[in-house]
Amino acid sequence: MPIGIITNVCAILFGGIAGALGSEIMSDSFKEGLNMTFSLCSICMGIYAIAPMKNLAAVVFAVILGTSLGIIFHLGKAINRGAQGMQHFISKFINAPSEMDQQTFETTLVTVVVLFCASGTGIYGTLTEGINGDATILISKSILDFFAAVIFGANLGAVVSLIAVPQIIILMIIFSLANFIVPLTTPDMILDFKATGGVLMLASGFRITKIKMFPTADMIPIMVVIMPVSWLWTNIILPLIH
């Protein structure tokens, strides 16, 4: 049983619902303050994840390559359409927050989708649980995700809870592939993988506070290309340099 995945998905599902239901009793200043606080937490977690990386050049190349692929194949637009679809579905039952314009709503929703579905910690935690059954990482992450979902649910409405659907699909696929992926990795590759996840969390933190609107959805492929890039750097390029 993927206990960690189920816990993480439930945290987002119930956190989003709780935030939507409690939105009316939260003042705008309270929601804004919590939003800023969470963006700061995301930035701090990104810095923490990046710090132990082993191959800076590999991470930088993976970020450039992965983002380029996302832009070329219009991944951000596809995710945005998916986010709009979720909103159209939920709007049949519950109205979106009226104080937020549509563009801001969609931009924020895409950021949240990326944050919950493509974080380095979530993917690494899923790989760990898939290979040895240790759900500790995902359960710990679920605590933060629950409060994050409450915050975003208060701002965006019940649509945040629907992010649990693509999340469980993505994490279950990774869980199923864990036995094939993990044996091919090295400790250095895992650290570089976490570092690219940290880059995504940094970009998401800046985007939430509107400091800079990084194309976080288009950056998702960096999580796919980092491991082969890290392996190539360590086993082929570095020996040639030295």
Side-chain angles (χ1 to χ4, degrees):
M1 283 288 291
I3 301 299
I5 295 175
I6 294 171
T7 303
N8 201 197
V9 169
C10 287
I12 292 169
L13 176 63
F14 295 116
I17 293 172
L21 293 176
S23 177
E24 296 298 325
I25 62 175
M26 298 182 193
S27 66
D28 290 339
S29 59
F30 181 75
K31 288 188 284 187
E32 180 65 20
L34 287 180
N35 204 42
M36 297 285 285
T37 300
F38 182 74
S39 70
L40 185 61
C41 291
S42 180
I43 292 170
C44 290
M45 290 174 66
I47 294 171
Y48 178 80
I50 292 170
M53 82 170 126
K54 299 299 291 185
N55 300 294
L56 175 60
V59 171
V60 169
F61 183 72
V63 170
I64 295 172
L65 176 62
T67 305
S68 298
L69 289 173
I71 293 172
I72 290 171
F73 290 102
H74 306 292
L75 182 60
K77 293 180 179 178
I79 292 176
N80 191 54
R81 286 195 297 270
Q84 290 174 0
M86 288 194 298
Q87 170 53 21
H88 290 156
F89 173 78
I90 201 71
S91 65
K92 296 177 181 178
F93 311 97
I94 303 172
N95 292 326
S98 58
E99 68 273 9
M100 187 178 294
D101 66 85
Q102 188 64 23
Q103 183 176 359
T104 302
F105 180 89
E106 292 175 1
T107 299
T108 308
L109 185 59
V110 169
T111 303
V112 180
V113 169
V114 174
L115 197 62
F116 286 148
C117 296
S119 74
T121 304
I123 295 174
Y124 175 66
T126 303
L127 289 172
T128 301
E129 183 175 19
I131 196 67
N132 61 22
D134 183 5
T136 305
I137 297 172
L138 284 179
I139 291 174
S140 300
K141 177 178 178 291
S142 299
I143 298 172
L144 178 62
D145 282 354
F146 174 79
F147 290 105
V150 170
I151 296 167
F152 289 121
N155 284 305
L156 301 178
V159 68
V160 171
S161 63
L162 286 186
I163 297 175
V165 176
Q167 187 198 35
I168 194 170
I169 294 172
I170 293 169
L171 295 188
M172 286 304 296
I173 291 173
I174 295 170
F175 181 83
S176 302
L177 295 175
N179 283 311
F180 301 99
I181 297 173
V182 173
L184 301 176
T185 65
T186 65
D188 287 356
M189 289 168 65
I190 293 296
L191 290 175
D192 290 342
F193 176 81
K194 287 182 177 181
T196 55
V199 171
L200 259 180
M201 295 193 77
L202 269 179
S204 297
F206 288 131
R207 186 179 170 105
I208 291 168
T209 52
K210 301 178 184 178
I211 296 174
K212 188 67 178 179
M213 301 303 287
F214 287 96
T216 49
D218 288 318
M219 294 171 70
I220 290 178
I222 70 179
M223 303 298 295
V224 178
V225 302
I226 179 55
M227 284 195 178
V229 168
S230 179
W231 184 89
L232 285 170
W233 178 263
T234 303
N235 293 279
I236 296 179
I237 298 176
L238 273 183
L240 291 176
I241 296 175
H242 294 301

